[in-house]
Amino acid sequence: MRRTALLFLCSLAPGGALAGCFGNSTPPGSDAGGIDASTDTSLPPFDSSVRETSADAGPDGDAHEEAAVDATADAASDVEVVDAPAPVDAPPDAPPTGTFPTTPIDFGLVNCGSAPGQTQTYSFANTGIVPITYTATVGTSALFSITSGDSGTVAPGKQGSIVLTAATVPATSTAGSPITGTLTLTTDVPGSTLVAVPLTLTPQGGSITLTPATAAFGSVDLTVAAPAVPLTLTNAGNAAVSVSFGAPTDPQFSLAYTGSPGAVSLAPGATLPAAAANFTPASAGLQSATAAILTTGVLCASPATSLAMNGTGTTEPVTVGPATLSFGTVSCGAQSSQVLPVTISNGYGFAVGFSASIAGGTSRYTLDVTSGNVPAQGSTTIHVTPQPIPGTASIAAGAFDDTLTVSTTAPGNPTTNVALQESAQGAILGLTMASGAFSSVVAGSTGKLPFTVTNTGNLDAPITLSATPAASGFGAVFTGTSTAASGGGTAPGNATFTPVAAGTVPGSFSIGTTAVRCAPLPAAVTLSGTGVGPVATYSGATLAVGVTCGGAASNVAMLTITNNTAYPLTAQGSSQNGLFTFTSASSITVPANSSGSFSVQAPAVAIGGKASGTYADALLFKTNEFGTPTHSVPVQLTVSGANLSFTAGANLSFSACQTTQPYTIHNSGNMAATVTEPNPGNPYFAALDPLNGANDVSLAAGASVSDTVEIESQCTGGGTYTFTTSGPVCQGVTLPMTISWDIIPCPQGACC
């Protein structure tokens, strides 16, 4: 039924003043499209506090105010004005406005395989003064759809409604995992031209998981119950279900659980209590069966629908042994001498075939046979040979382990694994050295740089050291043990540098070992050393000292040594031939940029102590210069005095009376001396003839004097007659002369 609608049109004069209003009425049944202010809700109730600010605001900046017709009298009216003209004071470009909720629309929990029990409605409102035009879609969703309201126009003040429904939830859905979609509205409302509303639905039902999926019992002797295989059957869904196992397809297998064989209700997350599979073989060979998992209740996607079981019944099993072959520890780069057997024994009354392989290939172990037959009630042996261990290899335990797999054609096709064990042994050396650069090292001293050799291998390693070039002063020594024990043992030491010359020289330091190694030696360390030190300078002229036999010690001779460097110079002096002594200290230190000296003299020579002449010696002094050299400065010792000796007549023999024999005395010295003839004092003799007519004579250096001896009495006799000397006599202080005579026949008379 339609009622008369009143339309009031008002206008606002410039400045916002109400200029005037007029109304229009439409009698019942009229098609004029009028609006009954008492029943039509197409315009919102008048609210003087509401202002719309939009592009049609008046020039004075105030928005138009519109009073809506009171529609409270007939809110339930089915009248809908879709094409009502806009109020005359509405700006021609006023935009539509509205509210569009985006709260997700949730259909809630829905059983897998079922559809939701009710539809869902999405509502939005036109809050403006012009109609809203819209379309709605759920995209390509196979689950959600729109049953009504997928497009249309909503009048001002009205609400739009879209009715949604969901199709049957697939039984393959995951329980508890929401299925989502999107309701998308396309409108002409600025700012809400595209509105996305989430749609959601949660599948509900049970979901069965089973671990293990297959109960494997292995080889079991006939009629012997195998150890039970525990089963974990869980309801992973979000709704309770009742669960039981169906009968196994082979009666050699059975299932048990608390409450078996009846159904047990499992809440979400619950596990079938004490579930286990059992096997008692009645027949030889591989046996297998399945048992269905039976459920009551809604079931979503369920990974487990049945249990598989298998086992092998044996009567006379085939055995392979031993279970482990151990080749022990083998040096890196070497090969074990062991070849170990694996025996396959066949207890059946028929031959069985076998095949054997190494899991890691033939790089570590080889087999003498890889396939063949084992005779009935017999055995076959496979020999396993390990390959050489590489020179560089891991020493980790089991680094060379492998597995020998032996398969046979016996009932059930049993397979046996034999563990092959072998480890490598050797030293693994590391060299740590903070620096290889020696600072300045003073001549005569040694610089040291510490190093450490570490052995992380599993074999003790005696270490050898090499520092080159040795000619430049480089070396190396241990400060403790020279053996680096296995497992992280160390051998500490020092690289050394004893400079042989000033300046910087290069070198290197490396280590070696006689032990077996499982890794290369560390690289050599580069060394460098700088030598500094004192330098002795001096005059190499001969030092001259002289003494006179019977006189005092010699003059003092001095050697001056200059050190023009910044390092102290030490010198230790000595006499090469022992001809002189030091009047200064024989060991001196010459400070940096300074001088020092040695003073020497020859000791006094007693009369007859040493032949006169010139003697050579040398002042030797050893310094702390590079190479600790020993310097030599010539020292000349002059001994002054006479050297007297008979050159003839020291031994005279007479055989006739009144005969003479000559003698000669020579002075080979370098000074004159006086020689005095002896007075025989013999009553049978006439006195010896004087030297040159005198009893004494001064004999110059290098001169000689001669005289004669005559026998004047006695027929037989003899004696020793000594010539004496005076002056600086070095040799020949006394000159003994031996005279003998034997005159036969001895005449009588004055002579004899």
Side-chain angles (χ1 to χ4, degrees):
M1 131 178 217
R2 288 190 178 270
R3 298 181 182 177
T4 303
L6 298 178
L7 176 64
F8 292 92
L9 302 177
C10 301
S11 63
L12 293 176
L18 185 62
C21 299
F22 64 91
N24 183 25
S25 64
T26 304
S30 172
D31 294 326
I35 300 173
D36 185 348
S38 65
T39 60
D40 197 327
T41 60
S42 62
L43 293 178
F46 176 77
D47 184 355
S48 61
S49 66
V50 176
R51 285 180 178 269
E52 294 247 351
T53 302
S54 62
D56 62 343
D60 56 358
D62 293 333
H64 292 290
E65 297 181 354
E66 180 179 352
V69 178
D70 184 359
T72 59
D74 193 6
S77 171
D78 59 353
V79 176
E80 179 179 358
V81 180
V82 176
D83 299 320
V88 296
D89 62 344
D93 57 349
T97 61
T99 58
F100 300 87
T102 57
T103 302
I105 297 173
D106 188 3
F107 285 82
L109 293 171
V110 180
N111 288 342
C112 289
S114 300
Q118 59 185 8
T119 61
Q120 297 289 331
T121 300
Y122 172 79
S123 299
F124 61 93
N126 183 343
T127 61
I129 59 175
V130 296
I132 293 174
T133 300
Y134 78 93
T135 60
T137 179
V138 293
T140 60
S141 173
L143 185 64
F144 301 102
S145 62
I146 299 173
T147 59
S148 65
D150 61 342
S151 65
T153 300
V154 179
K158 289 291 187 177
Q159 285 192 336
S161 297
I162 302 171
V163 179
L164 299 129
T165 189
T168 299
V169 176
T172 57
S173 302
T174 301
S177 180
I179 301 174
T180 61
T182 303
L183 169 64
T184 303
L185 279 76
T186 303
T187 77
D188 59 351
V189 176
S192 299
T193 57
L194 196 65
V195 179
V197 181
L199 306 176
T200 183
L201 176 152
T202 302
Q204 178 176 259
S207 179
I208 304 302
T209 62
L210 177 63
T211 303
T214 299
F217 294 90
S219 296
V220 183
D221 288 344
L222 296 182
T223 72
V224 176
V229 176
L231 303 174
T232 301
L233 188 149
T234 303
N235 179 8
N238 58 357
V241 291
S242 294
V243 178
S244 64
F245 278 107
T249 57
D250 188 330
Q252 297 177 95
F253 299 89
S254 63
L255 295 165
Y257 53 91
T258 301
S260 63
V264 177
S265 178
L266 295 183
T271 299
L272 187 65
N278 301 287
F279 173 51
T280 302
S283 302
L286 179 64
Q287 313 296 320
S288 60
T290 59
I293 299 174
L294 307 177
T295 59
T296 301
V298 176
L299 202 64
C300 293
S302 189
T305 58
S306 64
L307 169 67
M309 296 169 282
N310 63 62
T312 300
T314 61
T315 54
E316 296 291 338
V318 171
T319 60
V320 179
T324 301
L325 295 183
S326 178
F327 294 90
T329 301
V330 181
S331 296
C332 289
Q335 183 177 15
S336 171
S337 60
Q338 298 185 80
V339 177
L340 300 181
V342 172
T343 301
I344 308 172
S345 297
N346 178 16
Y348 287 111
F350 50 87
V352 296
F354 76 90
S355 62
S357 62
I358 304 295
T362 59
S363 61
R364 293 183 178 177
Y365 301 90
T366 56
L367 308 175
D368 61 341
V369 292
T370 58
S371 62
N373 292 309
V374 185
Q377 304 294 322
S379 63
T380 294
T381 299
I382 301 172
H383 293 92
V384 182
T385 302
Q387 296 288 74
I389 300 292
T392 298
S394 170
I395 61 169
F400 292 87
D401 289 358
D402 213 325
T403 300
L404 167 62
T405 299
V406 179
S407 300
T408 72
T409 60
N413 297 309
T415 297
T416 302
N417 290 329
V418 177
L420 307 179
Q421 298 176 347
E422 185 179 41
S423 297
Q425 175 178 267
I428 299 177
L429 301 179
L431 174 62
T432 56
M433 191 172 182
S435 172
F438 291 90
S439 57
S440 296
V441 180
V442 178
S445 62
T446 299
K448 299 177 181 179
L449 291 176
F451 66 82
T452 300
V453 180
T454 303
N455 179 11
T456 57
N458 55 5
L459 182 68
D460 293 352
I463 307 301
T464 58
L465 307 176
S466 176
T468 57
S472 296
F474 292 105
V477 294
F478 289 105
T479 56
T481 177
S482 62
T483 296
S486 61
T490 59
N494 289 318
T496 61
F497 175 59
T498 305
V500 298
T504 301
V505 291
S508 65
F509 168 61
S510 60
I511 63 170
T513 183
T514 56
V516 172
R517 292 180 288 104
C518 289
L521 287 171
V525 177
T526 299
L527 302 177
S528 65
T530 300
V532 296
V535 176
T537 57
Y538 57 92
S539 171
T542 301
L543 300 178
V545 292
V547 294
T548 299
C549 290
S554 76
N555 60 296
V556 174
M558 180 180 293
L559 174 68
T560 299
I561 302 171
T562 302
N563 175 17
N564 290 324
T565 69
Y567 308 96
L569 172 72
T570 61
Q572 176 66 51
S574 64
S575 169
Q576 184 179 51
N577 298 325
L579 298 181
F580 61 85
T581 59
F582 288 86
T583 59
S584 65
S586 61
S587 179
I588 62 173
T589 297
V590 183
N593 299 306
S594 185
S595 296
S597 62
F598 287 115
S599 297
V600 299
Q601 70 176 175
V605 176
I607 294 293
K610 192 178 188 69
S612 66
T614 301
Y615 296 87
D617 202 344
L619 170 57
L620 306 178
F621 63 95
K622 187 175 183 178
T623 70
N624 62 334
E625 297 172 274
F626 290 107
T628 60
T630 297
H631 301 272
S632 178
V633 177
V635 176
Q636 179 177 293
L637 170 62
T638 300
V639 178
S640 298
N643 296 328
L644 302 175
S645 62
F646 284 109
T647 58
N651 295 286
L652 301 177
S653 178
F654 292 87
S655 60
C657 287
Q658 296 183 341
T659 58
T660 63
Q661 293 190 41
Y663 66 87
T664 300
I665 299 174
H666 178 69
N667 181 4
S668 61
N670 52 18
M671 291 184 69
T674 299
V675 179
T676 301
E677 287 183 328
N679 184 354
N682 189 325
Y684 300 104
F685 275 79
L688 293 173
D689 289 340
L691 286 169
N692 297 325
N695 285 333
D696 53 33
V697 64
S698 178
L699 190 58
S704 297
V705 62
S706 298
D707 205 344
T708 61
V709 175
E710 179 182 9
I711 298 300
E712 295 183 352
S713 64
Q714 297 183 349
C715 294
T716 302
T720 299
Y721 303 90
T722 301
F723 291 74
T724 61
T725 63
S726 62
V729 178
C730 294
Q731 295 289 309
V733 176
T734 59
L735 300 172
M737 176 184 288
T738 300
I739 303 174
S740 64
W741 59 93
D742 187 6
I743 302 172
I744 299 174
C746 181
Q748 298 297 320
C751 176
C752 297

